[in-house]
């Protein structure tokens, strides 16, 4: 059962556990952290949730689950293939942590899972989450397109096709000293990401544009590398982004 908040943020955590502790502590989180929780207390419910809904974080109690959940989540065909998955165990030691990370978990946690430590965990992973800003951009674009998912899907598919090409063109232009061409392509890229409210990439493109306008060419490579990384991160999340639009 999800927690509802008047100002719900798009950071949703799936907790797979038999333990009643998270359920009994849920009301303490409401209105404090404003994150959403989904609880699954059987393997069938957990499998259905993992394959049917996009999450920002998944916590698996190994007393209920097993390594099969890792394989399910990390499968490239799964909507949550880029979602961090944490193991919840009775007691963590260094050897167990290494083994669980080697098995595919992103980290492991010690019980009990209380409202306080759950809130801290969610804040930590929210601060490290790169998918949520992309999903927020989608929601903004949908709101401004009257929820026309067909149009938004077309815009995003075009982005996934064009952004890597534009990055390659900018890189080639910078290497050959064609700074006007580098500016022109960066400006076009900037317009594309601005249309889709991808603010983080837009800010990086703005920085490179400003550098080229001011003819500070000695800094251009540095700004380009940041822009290239920003676009690369976006492209890496193609599958969950498109899966979110298919919902």
């Amino acid at each position: 059962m999800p927690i509802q908040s008047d100002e719900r943020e798009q950071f949703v955590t799936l907790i797979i556990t038999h333990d009643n502790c998270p359920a009994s502590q849920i009301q303490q989180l409401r209105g404090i952290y404003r994150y959403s929780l989904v609880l699954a207390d059987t393997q069938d419910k957990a499998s259905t949730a993992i394959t049917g809904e996009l999450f920002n974080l998944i916590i698996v109690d190994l007393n209920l689950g097993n390594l099969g959940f890792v394989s399910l989540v990390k499968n490239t065909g799964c909507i949550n293939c880029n979602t961090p998955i944490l193991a919840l165990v009775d007691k963590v030691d260094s050897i167990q942590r290494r083994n669980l990370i080697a098995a595919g978990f992103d980290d492991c946690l010690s019980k009990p899972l209380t409202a306080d430590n759950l809130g801290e965990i969610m804040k930590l992973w929210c601060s490290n989450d790169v998918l949520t800003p992309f999903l927020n951009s989608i929601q903004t674009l949908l709101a401004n397109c009257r929820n026309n998912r067909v149009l938004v899907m077309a815009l995003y598919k075009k982005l996934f096709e064009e952004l890597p090409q534009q990055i390659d063109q900018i890189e080639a232009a910078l290497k050959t000293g064609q700074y006007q061409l580098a500016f022109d392509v960066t400006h076009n890229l900037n317009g594309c990401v601005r249309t889709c409210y991808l603010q983080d990439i837009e800010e990086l493109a703005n920085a490179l544009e400003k550098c080229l306008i001011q003819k500070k060419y000695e800094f251009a490579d540095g700004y380009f590398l940041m822009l290239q990384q920003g676009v690369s991160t976006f492209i890496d999340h193609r599958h969950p982004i498109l899966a979110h639009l298919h919902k």
Side-chain angles (χ1 to χ4, degrees):
M1 55 177 292
I3 295 180
Q4 298 297 330
S5 169
D6 294 336
E7 299 180 31
R8 176 182 171 184
E9 295 183 6
Q10 288 188 353
F11 189 92
V12 186
T13 299
L14 171 65
I15 302 177
I16 303 170
T17 180
H18 270 318
D19 194 344
N20 289 325
C21 183
S24 66
Q25 301 282 350
I26 275 180
Q27 284 303 113
Q28 295 183 36
L29 288 169
R30 183 185 176 94
I32 299 175
Y33 300 109
R34 293 175 180 169
Y35 301 149
S36 181
L37 298 179
V38 174
L39 303 181
D41 58 4
T42 68
Q43 292 197 14
D44 286 344
K45 288 180 181 178
S47 298
T48 299
I50 288 170
T51 56
E53 182 176 351
L54 182 64
F55 296 100
N56 301 96
L57 182 64
I58 298 173
I59 301 174
V60 178
D61 185 344
L62 292 190
N63 288 336
L64 171 65
N66 51 49
L67 298 183
F69 283 129
V70 178
S71 300
L72 183 61
V73 170
K74 297 300 182 180
N75 186 297
T76 55
C78 179
I79 188 174
N80 287 292
C81 63
N82 291 301
T83 301
I85 179 168
L86 313 183
L88 182 62
V89 298
D90 293 324
K91 185 177 180 180
V92 177
D93 60 56
S94 58
I95 295 176
Q96 184 181 36
R97 173 177 271 113
R98 286 199 299 269
N99 290 339
L100 289 171
I101 291 175
F105 284 96
D106 293 277
D107 203 350
C108 55
L109 313 167
S110 293
K111 291 184 178 182
L113 194 60
T114 65
D116 287 340
N117 62 27
L118 180 58
E120 291 303 314
I121 291 162
M122 293 169 70
K123 284 195 292 184
L124 172 65
W125 285 91
C126 183
S127 67
N128 292 328
D129 178 57
V130 295
L131 180 59
T132 296
F134 297 144
L135 300 188
N136 289 340
S137 298
I138 289 174
Q139 294 307 119
T140 302
L141 184 58
L142 281 169
N144 283 279
C145 293
R146 298 184 179 181
N147 207 37
N148 187 334
R149 286 186 175 267
V150 175
L151 173 59
V152 173
M153 177 70 78
L155 288 171
Y156 269 82
K157 285 184 175 179
K158 186 177 180 182
L159 271 183
F160 286 124
E161 177 183 346
E162 292 185 351
L163 289 184
Q165 297 174 1
Q166 291 170 324
I167 287 293
D168 288 344
Q169 292 168 1
I170 297 168
E171 183 175 28
L174 290 175
K175 284 182 177 179
T176 56
Q178 300 180 73
Y179 297 116
Q180 182 60 49
L181 176 59
F183 172 83
D184 291 341
V185 179
T186 303
H187 188 70
N188 289 336
L189 181 152
N190 201 351
C192 294
V193 297
R194 187 184 303 115
T195 298
C196 292
Y197 300 96
L198 295 169
Q199 185 176 357
D200 290 345
I201 301 178
E202 178 187 348
E203 290 175 356
L204 295 172
N206 282 336
L208 180 55
E209 277 193 51
K210 184 176 180 180
C211 172
L212 294 171
I213 288 174
Q214 296 177 347
K215 298 183 178 180
K216 296 181 178 179
Y217 302 135
E218 67 273 21
F219 302 115
D221 286 343
Y223 285 116
F224 167 73
L225 288 174
M226 289 188 289
L227 176 61
Q228 185 181 47
Q229 182 58 53
V231 170
S232 177
T233 299
F234 174 70
I235 299 299
D236 287 344
H237 288 79
R238 175 190 177 103
H239 180 80
I241 288 171
L242 294 181
H244 181 75
L245 281 168
H246 274 301
K247 288 174 61 177

Coordinates of all heavy atoms in Angstrom, one line a residue, residues 10 132-149 152 155-156 193-199 202 244-245:
Q10 N 8.2 12.4 -6.7 CA 8.3 11.2 -7.5 C 9.5 10.3 -7.1 O 10.4 10.1 -7.9 CB 8.4 11.6 -9.0 CG 7.0 12.0 -9.5 CD 7.1 12.2 -11.0 OE1 8.1 12.1 -11.6 NE2 5.9 12.5 -11.6
T132 N 15.1 10.5 -11.1 CA 13.9 11.3 -10.7 C 13.9 12.6 -11.5 O 12.8 13.0 -11.9 CB 14.0 11.5 -9.2 OG1 13.8 10.3 -8.5 CG2 12.9 12.5 -8.8
P133 N 15.0 13.4 -11.7 CA 14.8 14.6 -12.4 C 14.3 14.4 -13.8 O 13.6 15.3 -14.4 CB 16.3 15.2 -12.4 CG 16.9 14.6 -11.2 CD 16.3 13.2 -11.1
F134 N 14.7 13.3 -14.5 CA 14.2 13.0 -15.8 C 12.7 12.8 -15.8 O 12.0 13.2 -16.7 CB 14.9 11.8 -16.4 CG 16.4 12.0 -16.6 CD1 17.3 10.9 -16.4 CD2 16.9 13.2 -17.0 CE1 18.6 11.1 -16.6 CE2 18.3 13.4 -17.1 CZ 19.1 12.3 -16.9
L135 N 12.2 12.0 -14.8 CA 10.8 11.8 -14.7 C 10.0 13.0 -14.3 O 8.9 13.2 -14.8 CB 10.5 10.7 -13.6 CG 11.2 9.3 -13.8 CD1 10.7 8.3 -12.8 CD2 10.9 8.8 -15.2
N136 N 10.6 13.9 -13.5 CA 10.0 15.2 -13.3 C 9.8 16.0 -14.5 O 8.8 16.7 -14.8 CB 10.8 16.0 -12.2 CG 10.6 15.3 -10.8 OD1 9.7 14.6 -10.6 ND2 11.6 15.7 -10.0
S137 N 10.9 15.9 -15.4 CA 10.8 16.7 -16.7 C 9.7 16.1 -17.5 O 9.0 16.9 -18.2 CB 12.2 16.5 -17.4 OG 13.2 17.1 -16.6
I138 N 9.5 14.8 -17.5 CA 8.4 14.2 -18.3 C 7.1 14.7 -17.8 O 6.2 15.1 -18.6 CB 8.5 12.7 -18.2 CG1 9.7 12.2 -19.0 CG2 7.2 12.1 -18.7 CD1 9.9 10.7 -18.8
Q139 N 6.9 14.8 -16.5 CA 5.6 15.2 -16.0 C 5.4 16.7 -16.3 O 4.2 17.1 -16.6 CB 5.6 15.1 -14.4 CG 5.7 13.6 -14.0 CD 4.6 12.8 -14.6 OE1 4.9 11.8 -15.4 NE2 3.3 13.1 -14.4
T140 N 6.4 17.5 -16.3 CA 6.2 18.9 -16.7 C 5.8 19.0 -18.2 O 4.9 19.8 -18.5 CB 7.5 19.7 -16.5 OG1 7.9 19.6 -15.1 CG2 7.4 21.2 -16.8
L141 N 6.5 18.2 -19.0 CA 6.2 18.3 -20.4 C 4.8 17.8 -20.7 O 4.1 18.3 -21.5 CB 7.3 17.4 -21.2 CG 7.1 17.4 -22.7 CD1 7.2 18.8 -23.3 CD2 8.2 16.5 -23.3
L142 N 4.4 16.7 -20.0 CA 3.1 16.1 -20.2 C 2.0 17.2 -19.8 O 1.0 17.4 -20.5 CB 2.9 14.9 -19.3 CG 3.5 13.6 -19.9 CD1 3.4 12.5 -18.8 CD2 2.7 13.1 -21.1
A143 N 2.3 17.9 -18.7 CA 1.3 18.9 -18.2 C 1.2 20.0 -19.3 O 0.1 20.6 -19.5 CB 1.8 19.5 -16.9
N144 N 2.3 20.3 -20.0 CA 2.2 21.4 -20.9 C 1.8 20.9 -22.3 O 1.6 21.7 -23.2 CB 3.6 22.1 -21.1 CG 3.9 23.0 -19.9 OD1 3.4 24.2 -19.9 ND2 4.6 22.5 -18.9
C145 N 1.6 19.6 -22.5 CA 1.1 19.0 -23.7 C -0.2 18.4 -23.5 O -0.6 17.5 -24.3 CB 2.1 18.0 -24.3 SG 3.7 18.7 -24.8
R146 N -0.9 18.8 -22.5 CA -2.3 18.3 -22.2 C -2.3 16.8 -22.1 O -3.2 16.1 -22.6 CB -3.3 18.8 -23.2 CG -3.4 20.3 -23.3 CD -4.5 20.8 -24.3 NE -4.6 22.2 -24.3 CZ -5.5 22.9 -25.0 NH1 -6.3 22.2 -25.8 NH2 -5.5 24.2 -24.9
N147 N -1.2 16.2 -21.5 CA -1.1 14.8 -21.3 C -1.1 14.0 -22.5 O -1.5 12.8 -22.6 CB -2.2 14.3 -20.3 CG -1.7 13.1 -19.5 OD1 -0.6 12.9 -19.1 ND2 -2.7 12.1 -19.3
N148 N -0.6 14.6 -23.6 CA -0.5 13.9 -24.9 C 0.8 13.0 -24.9 O 1.9 13.4 -25.3 CB -0.4 14.9 -26.0 CG -0.5 14.2 -27.4 OD1 -0.1 13.0 -27.6 ND2 -1.0 14.9 -28.4
R149 N 0.6 11.7 -24.4 CA 1.7 10.8 -24.3 C 2.3 10.4 -25.6 O 3.6 10.2 -25.7 CB 1.3 9.6 -23.5 CG 1.2 9.9 -22.0 CD 0.9 8.6 -21.2 NE 0.9 8.9 -19.8 CZ 1.9 8.8 -19.0 NH1 3.1 8.4 -19.5 NH2 1.9 9.1 -17.7
V152 N 4.7 13.3 -26.5 CA 5.9 13.3 -25.6 C 6.8 12.1 -25.9 O 8.0 12.3 -25.9 CB 5.4 13.3 -24.1 CG1 6.6 13.1 -23.2 CG2 4.7 14.6 -23.8
L155 N 8.8 13.0 -29.0 CA 9.8 14.0 -28.6 C 11.0 13.3 -28.0 O 12.2 13.6 -28.3 CB 9.3 15.1 -27.7 CG 8.3 16.1 -28.4 CD1 7.7 17.0 -27.3 CD2 9.0 16.9 -29.4
Y156 N 10.7 12.4 -27.1 CA 11.8 11.7 -26.4 C 12.6 10.7 -27.3 O 13.8 10.6 -27.2 CB 11.3 11.0 -25.1 CG 11.4 11.9 -23.9 CD1 10.4 12.9 -23.6 CD2 12.5 11.9 -23.0 CE1 10.5 13.7 -22.6 CE2 12.6 12.7 -21.9 CZ 11.6 13.6 -21.7 OH 11.7 14.5 -20.6
V193 N 16.8 20.1 -25.6 CA 16.6 19.7 -24.2 C 15.7 20.7 -23.4 O 15.0 20.3 -22.5 CB 18.0 19.5 -23.5 CG1 18.7 18.4 -24.1 CG2 18.8 20.8 -23.5
R194 N 15.8 22.0 -23.8 CA 15.0 23.0 -23.2 C 13.5 22.7 -23.5 O 12.6 22.9 -22.6 CB 15.3 24.4 -23.7 CG 14.6 25.5 -22.9 CD 14.9 26.9 -23.5 NE 16.3 27.2 -23.5 CZ 17.0 27.4 -24.6 NH1 16.5 27.3 -25.8 NH2 18.3 27.7 -24.4
T195 N 13.2 22.3 -24.7 CA 11.8 22.0 -25.1 C 11.3 20.9 -24.2 O 10.1 20.9 -23.8 CB 11.7 21.5 -26.5 OG1 12.2 22.6 -27.4 CG2 10.3 21.1 -26.9
C196 N 12.1 19.9 -23.8 CA 11.7 18.8 -22.9 C 12.0 19.0 -21.4 O 11.9 18.1 -20.7 CB 12.4 17.5 -23.4 SG 11.8 17.0 -25.1
Y197 N 12.3 20.2 -21.1 CA 12.5 20.6 -19.7 C 13.6 19.8 -19.0 O 13.5 19.6 -17.8 CB 11.2 20.5 -18.9 CG 10.1 21.4 -19.5 CD1 9.2 20.9 -20.4 CD2 10.0 22.7 -19.1 CE1 8.2 21.7 -20.9 CE2 9.0 23.5 -19.6 CZ 8.1 23.0 -20.5 OH 7.1 23.8 -21.1
L198 N 14.6 19.4 -19.7 CA 15.8 18.7 -19.1 C 16.8 19.8 -18.6 O 17.8 20.1 -19.2 CB 16.4 17.8 -20.2 CG 15.5 16.7 -20.6 CD1 16.1 16.0 -21.8 CD2 15.3 15.7 -19.5
Q199 N 16.5 20.3 -17.5 CA 17.1 21.5 -17.0 C 18.6 21.3 -16.7 O 19.5 22.1 -17.0 CB 16.5 22.0 -15.7 CG 17.1 23.3 -15.1 CD 16.3 23.8 -13.9 OE1 15.3 23.2 -13.5 NE2 16.8 24.9 -13.3
E202 N 20.4 21.3 -20.0 CA 20.3 22.7 -20.5 C 21.3 23.6 -19.8 O 22.0 24.4 -20.5 CB 18.9 23.3 -20.2 CG 18.7 24.7 -20.7 CD 17.4 25.3 -20.3 OE1 16.5 24.5 -19.8 OE2 17.2 26.5 -20.4
H244 N 8.4 4.4 -18.5 CA 7.6 5.3 -17.7 C 6.5 6.0 -18.6 O 5.3 6.1 -18.2 CB 8.4 6.4 -17.1 CG 7.7 7.4 -16.2 ND1 7.1 7.1 -15.0 CD2 7.3 8.7 -16.5 CE1 6.5 8.1 -14.5 NE2 6.6 9.1 -15.4
L245 N 6.9 6.3 -19.8 CA 6.0 6.9 -20.8 C 4.9 5.9 -21.3 O 3.8 6.3 -21.7 CB 6.7 7.5 -22.0 CG 7.4 8.9 -21.7 CD1 8.3 9.3 -22.8 CD2 6.3 10.0 -21.5

